[in-house]
Amino acid sequence: MMQAEYLQRFARVALAGLNLQRGQSLAIKMEPEHAEIAAVVAEHAYRAGARYVDIWAESTRFLRSRLDHSLPEHLDYVPEHRALRNAEFLRDGWALLSLKGPIDPAVMEGADAERSGRINRVVSSVDAPLRRALATDETQWLVMAPPSPKWASRVIGISDGTAALAAMWEALVPVLRLNEDDPAAFWKRHGAGLKERAATLNDLQIRSLRFRDDGTDLDVPLHASARWIGGGATTQGGVDFSPNIPTEEVFTAPNAPKVSGRVAITRPVRVLGGLVRDGWFEFRDGAVVDYGATSGGDHLAAFLSVDEGSRSIGEIALVDSSSPIYQTGLVFENILLDENAACHFALGAAYPTCIAGGARMDDDELIAHGANRSRQHVDFMFGSDDIEVSAVAADGETVPIMKKGRFAL
Amino acid sequence: MMQAEYLQRFARVALAGLNLQRGQSLAIKMEPEHAEIAAVVAEHAYRAGARYVDIWAESTRFLRSRLDHSLPEHLDYVPEHRALRNAEFLRDGWALLSLKGPIDPAVMEGADAERSGRINRVVSSVDAPLRRALATDETQWLVMAPPSPKWASRVIGISDGTAALAAMWEALVPVLRLNEDDPAAFWKRHGAGLKERAATLNDLQIRSLRFRDDGTDLDVPLHASARWIGGGATTQGGVDFSPNIPTEEVFTAPNAPKVSGRVAITRPVRVLGGLVRDGWFEFRDGAVVDYGATSGGDHLAAFLSVDEGSRSIGEIALVDSSSPIYQTGLVFENILLDENAACHFALGAAYPTCIAGGARMDDDELIAHGANRSRQHVDFMFGSDDIEVSAVAADGETVPIMKKGRFAL
């Protein structure tokens, strides 16, 4: 397949995932370097009757310059038009495509974690209403990760950017199912399969999950109102969409204050721009009481101090080793891809939609249902080919969920 | 010089031209593809104490997709946050850097001129308060044109983008004076020289200019309150800055309703995205009464119909053939560079600062002083090695201004 054909197929999948409605506007949140692929998506969007396609440029390079050189008194500043833009988006029911493929994975290495956390706190706070609206599926949103030369070099392990990019597109063909005659139809079928798995888990009325693996023995109780979700979402207005492509997970919100045990992280994770390797956490009464990592520990520390909810679990997700992302054998150092390779949890906010009736609850009600609140949400993968997952069901029975890394349901 | 060194020097010149104040925010209006050079500018800006550097991404590729595929009923739509962003910029006294180097000069070829004119009218109208504020130097603004591979291929005439880009940077070294030990100091000295030329012209109290060349015999009367400007500007708050780099011109606002004669355009000009070649205009009582071009005539027609002021002259500028841009022998198909290669006029709005006291005049007062008003402003070059320019001074004497393309002052 030629590069131009990949772009066309990627854009077709994006539009299918967004299910953009005629007359609806689309914002594309992107690194400026995503210009080429974003322009192809824009073309497909206008063909689908988009009212307008807006560029929301967020440059990690600009952020790094700011982190390194800004006077400290300017770090808390966010232009007012960001909040006004977000408000217009929500008022007029736009859809959001986030292109989250990194341009240069090394660009944030060595950045000051405290300054990074400070900027993150302010921007998160401005974006809070938008984030909340998307988490409750007020309108369609979709995260995808288009490849780019430097990222591809890092993932594939060859220095020539052009060759690495070609190899990464090749690796993404089975992951994004770009070789399907009709990739949009595939993602619809695939979503239905994940929805069925979520329904099976909901029928079990699981009281608690136990995860065991090398370095991991974690208890994750669930509130009676927790709901398993997977394979797509539906807006409050009834429009089906896919929030993530690829997606291989089913997930819910744990009863956050009850989580306990120890967990060893099996894939590197970017936290506030820093790469955290070989992380581990110990939980007591739902909160991190100890943690460590062979690198990125200072970024982890900055992350955990953003707010109280950053130290508790907001999401627990099941992915088995039959996942095409796991099968690539690659570590993407990108959450969208890596989270769909293995079981994971998120430190930070729960999705309100994981609680029955949660989309209409305020923070206090959500907390009363065990759902964690925070300005942040970062996934940590702890699954492997060896992980054992069991559940205690409503009837008190212990049910095997995963054996040796594969679903046993 | 290596590519990275060009970027550093380009950024240094940009910051010198902007004269960004400590604590001032900077907006960079750019194609997303300018990400790399813009990030270097952002770094220099934060080092200079910028409060914030904002990306205003405007993609010609997105625009082309919209022109080709949008439903007609959506063409008049502009998101509200654009006006809110502009208002915040003005309220808080930001500075603006416009990176106007084209990414792909061919991207707008064959686009529908009527649809293009329609989008242009709406966006121009939203941007009117910002444009007016910049035209009266409320705050610092600067236009520069960074090279990029496809544009370089077109200008240099070789198809390999990387080689063409290297050659174009080489061609821009004398144009941007990147080889000066201190390019910022050069542009300061150079500005002083142009200011001196403007002062000489102001002392002549010119009543009218006459331009004669092959295909050109144009009379351009000046109002008694017209002021020659060149070599930089000063904000209403007293901050010196350079609105254009490079700049080789001295310019003023003609007494628009009195312009008459015929003029042959000597360089191709992009008008609403279409390339106009071998254009010519005939003026009577200040307005275009006839015109033509060997290509791009439909874009010219769409341009002239945007508003009444689009058919009259708002600016007349003198540049002689000693200009380093003229000396390159290249046609850049880019107004910033090409206008500084030769004498030119603009169809559309006058700069209020070209009228004594004009920055504080409303449109009616400006018109009473001969200054043309319009939502548009596009330059047309008509200078050459053969052009003869003479002036009738206040005392009725005829004074030679340019002989055989060179200043005779």
Side-chain angles (χ1 to χ4, degrees):
Chain A
M1 223 182 280
M2 299 289 292
Q3 169 93 358
E5 180 61 20
Y6 288 134
L7 299 190
Q8 289 294 327
R9 290 184 177 222
F10 184 97
R12 214 195 305 164
V13 170
L15 264 287
L18 285 163
N19 194 6
L20 194 74
Q21 305 291 294
R22 211 177 151 93
Q24 190 177 22
S25 292
L26 173 66
I28 304 183
K29 193 169 172 177
M30 57 187 249
E31 298 268 354
E33 288 87 346
H34 286 131
E36 190 177 0
I37 197 158
V40 180
V41 173
E43 186 192 320
H44 284 246
Y46 281 120
R47 282 181 192 274
R51 186 182 192 190
Y52 188 75
V53 185
D54 206 23
I55 302 176
W56 291 8
E58 307 233 326
S59 165
T60 313
R61 289 189 189 177
F62 275 56
L63 176 60
R64 180 61 198 257
S65 282
R66 190 180 186 199
L67 278 173
D68 288 352
H69 304 297
S70 172
L71 296 172
E73 64 264 36
H74 297 147
L75 286 178
D76 295 322
Y77 175 72
V78 182
E80 275 178 25
H81 66 76
R82 186 180 182 101
L84 301 169
R85 176 199 77 178
N86 292 351
E88 180 179 22
F89 173 99
L90 291 175
R91 186 197 66 194
D92 292 349
W94 294 31
L96 178 67
L97 173 65
S98 289
L99 297 180
K100 289 213 172 160
I103 294 308
D104 180 356
V107 75
M108 293 298 278
E109 269 164 27
D112 185 289
E114 187 274 328
R115 283 165 66 97
S116 179
R118 198 167 144 199
I119 290 179
N120 188 258
R121 258 192 302 281
V122 188
V123 174
S124 291
S125 153
V126 169
D127 285 351
L130 176 64
R131 205 171 46 250
R132 169 72 202 236
L134 297 179
T136 56
D137 299 338
E138 257 187 42
T139 189
Q140 309 106 281
W141 56 280
L142 167 61
V143 183
M144 291 184 77
S148 51
K150 281 192 184 170
W151 180 31
S153 280
R154 179 120 164 183
V155 171
I156 304 293
I158 53 179
S159 60
D160 178 63
T162 309
L165 182 61
M168 184 148 170
W169 272 117
E170 216 36 67
L172 289 176
V173 165
V175 167
L176 297 173
R177 278 73 164 194
L178 299 179
N179 51 343
E180 296 276 335
D181 283 339
D182 184 348
F186 168 83
W187 284 106
K188 205 164 194 169
R189 282 199 313 278
H190 180 70
L194 290 169
K195 279 185 175 132
E196 212 174 286
R197 178 173 291 161
T200 306
L201 290 164
N202 282 327
D203 288 346
L204 283 174
Q205 299 181 270
I206 295 170
R207 287 184 188 165
S208 131
L209 287 164
R210 186 170 179 194
F211 297 87
R212 272 179 300 177
D213 201 346
D214 187 26
T216 291
D217 191 348
L218 188 69
D219 265 311
V220 181
L222 302 186
H223 193 277
S225 63
R227 290 292 169 266
W228 289 92
I229 293 180
T234 304
T235 67
Q236 293 174 22
V239 178
D240 293 326
F241 70 101
S242 305
N244 285 182
I245 294 181
T247 183
E248 306 292 339
E249 62 172 351
V250 288
F251 61 99
T252 189
N255 194 348
K258 308 275 188 186
V259 171
S260 69
R262 194 186 187 285
V263 59
I265 307 309
T266 51
R267 293 190 157 223
V269 177
R270 290 222 166 257
V271 177
L272 297 180
L275 196 65
V276 175
R277 291 183 188 277
D278 307 312
W280 59 267
F281 297 95
E282 201 174 317
F283 293 91
R284 203 175 305 146
D285 298 330
V288 172
V289 290
D290 201 4
Y291 66 95
T294 56
S295 67
D298 50 343
H299 286 85
L300 212 45
F303 174 87
L304 292 169
S305 73
V306 166
D307 56 21
E308 201 191 318
S310 304
R311 294 187 287 279
S312 293
I313 293 188
E315 179 196 354
I316 185 79
L318 303 175
V319 180
D320 84 355
S321 58
S322 69
S323 154
I325 296 110
Y326 189 87
Q327 296 293 325
T328 62
L330 298 170
V331 173
F332 292 94
E333 294 181 16
N334 172 271
I335 205 60
L336 173 66
L337 292 164
D338 290 328
E339 73 161 342
N340 282 300
C343 288
H344 58 274
F345 63 83
L347 289 178
Y351 293 105
T353 48
C354 289
I355 302 293
R360 285 172 307 281
M361 291 180 186
D362 64 20
D363 276 7
D364 288 342
E365 290 173 281
L366 285 168
I367 288 166
H369 288 78
N372 190 44
R373 308 311 299 142
S374 168
R375 280 197 295 271
Q376 305 192 102
H377 178 110
V378 169
D379 293 311
F380 294 87
M381 283 64 68
F382 63 99
S384 78
D385 249 337
D386 289 321
I387 197 165
E388 301 282 330
V389 186
S390 60
V392 178
D395 56 10
E397 286 284 292
T398 296
V399 184
I401 303 290
M402 286 172 65
K403 287 182 177 175
K404 287 260 163 217
R406 295 283 174 128
F407 275 105
L409 282 173
Chain B
M1 224 182 280
M2 298 289 293
Q3 169 93 359
E5 180 62 20
Y6 288 134
L7 299 190
Q8 288 295 327
R9 289 183 178 222
F10 184 97
R12 211 194 308 164
V13 170
L15 264 290
L18 285 164
N19 194 7
L20 194 73
Q21 306 291 294
R22 211 176 151 93
Q24 190 177 25
S25 293
L26 172 66
I28 304 183
K29 193 170 174 177
M30 57 188 251
E31 298 270 352
E33 287 87 346
H34 286 131
E36 190 177 0
I37 198 159
V40 180
V41 173
E43 186 193 320
H44 284 246
Y46 281 120
R47 283 181 192 273
R51 186 183 193 191
Y52 189 75
V53 185
D54 206 22
I55 302 176
W56 290 9
E58 308 233 326
S59 165
T60 314
R61 289 188 189 176
F62 274 56
L63 176 61
R64 180 60 198 257
S65 281
R66 189 180 187 200
L67 279 172
D68 288 352
H69 303 297
S70 172
L71 296 171
E73 63 265 36
H74 297 148
L75 286 177
D76 294 322
Y77 175 70
V78 182
E80 276 179 25
H81 67 78
R82 186 179 181 102
L84 300 169
R85 177 198 77 178
N86 292 350
E88 181 179 20
F89 172 100
L90 291 175
R91 186 198 66 194
D92 292 349
W94 294 30
L96 178 66
L97 173 64
S98 289
L99 298 180
K100 289 212 171 162
I103 295 307
D104 180 356
V107 74
M108 294 298 279
E109 268 164 28
D112 185 289
E114 188 273 330
R115 282 165 67 98
S116 178
R118 198 167 144 200
I119 291 180
N120 188 259
R121 258 192 302 280
V122 188
V123 175
S124 292
S125 153
V126 169
D127 285 351
L130 176 64
R131 205 170 46 252
R132 168 72 200 238
L134 298 179
T136 57
D137 299 337
E138 258 188 40
T139 190
Q140 308 106 281
W141 56 280
L142 167 61
V143 183
M144 291 183 76
S148 52
K150 280 191 183 171
W151 179 30
S153 280
R154 179 121 163 182
V155 171
I156 305 293
I158 54 179
S159 60
D160 178 64
T162 309
L165 183 61
M168 185 149 170
W169 272 117
E170 215 37 66
L172 288 177
V173 165
V175 168
L176 297 173
R177 277 74 163 193
L178 300 178
N179 51 344
E180 295 277 335
D181 283 338
D182 184 347
F186 168 83
W187 283 105
K188 203 162 195 171
R189 281 200 311 280
H190 180 69
L194 289 170
K195 279 185 174 132
E196 211 175 287
R197 179 174 290 161
T200 306
L201 290 164
N202 282 327
D203 288 347
L204 282 175
Q205 298 181 272
I206 295 170
R207 289 184 186 165
S208 132
L209 287 163
R210 185 171 180 193
F211 297 86
R212 271 177 303 177
D213 200 347
D214 187 25
T216 292
D217 191 346
L218 188 69
D219 265 310
V220 182
L222 303 186
H223 193 277
S225 63
R227 292 291 169 268
W228 289 92
I229 293 180
T234 305
T235 67
Q236 293 174 22
V239 178
D240 293 327
F241 70 102
S242 305
N244 286 181
I245 294 181
T247 182
E248 306 292 340
E249 62 172 351
V250 289
F251 61 98
T252 190
N255 195 348
K258 308 274 186 184
V259 172
S260 68
R262 196 186 185 284
V263 59
I265 308 308
T266 51
R267 293 191 158 224
V269 177
R270 289 221 167 258
V271 176
L272 297 178
L275 196 64
V276 176
R277 291 183 188 275
D278 308 310
W280 60 267
F281 297 96
E282 201 174 316
F283 293 91
R284 202 176 306 146
D285 299 328
V288 172
V289 290
D290 201 3
Y291 66 95
T294 56
S295 68
D298 49 344
H299 285 86
L300 212 44
F303 174 88
L304 291 170
S305 72
V306 166
D307 57 20
E308 201 190 317
S310 304
R311 294 186 287 278
S312 292
I313 292 187
E315 178 196 352
I316 184 81
L318 303 175
V319 180
D320 84 355
S321 58
S322 70
S323 155
I325 295 110
Y326 190 87
Q327 296 293 324
T328 63
L330 298 170
V331 174
F332 292 93
E333 294 181 18
N334 172 273
I335 206 61
L336 173 66
L337 292 163
D338 290 328
E339 73 161 342
N340 282 300
C343 287
H344 58 274
F345 62 84
L347 289 178
Y351 292 105
T353 48
C354 290
I355 301 293
R360 285 173 306 282
M361 290 182 187
D362 65 18
D363 275 7
D364 288 342
E365 289 173 283
L366 285 169
I367 289 166
H369 289 77
N372 191 41
R373 308 311 298 143
S374 168
R375 280 198 295 273
Q376 304 192 105
H377 178 109
V378 170
D379 293 312
F380 294 85
M381 283 64 69
F382 63 98
S384 79
D385 250 337
D386 289 320
I387 197 166
E388 301 282 331
V389 186
S390 60
V392 178
D395 57 8
E397 286 283 294
T398 296
V399 184
I401 303 290
M402 285 171 68
K403 286 183 178 176
K404 286 257 162 219
R406 296 282 175 128
F407 274 105
L409 284 172

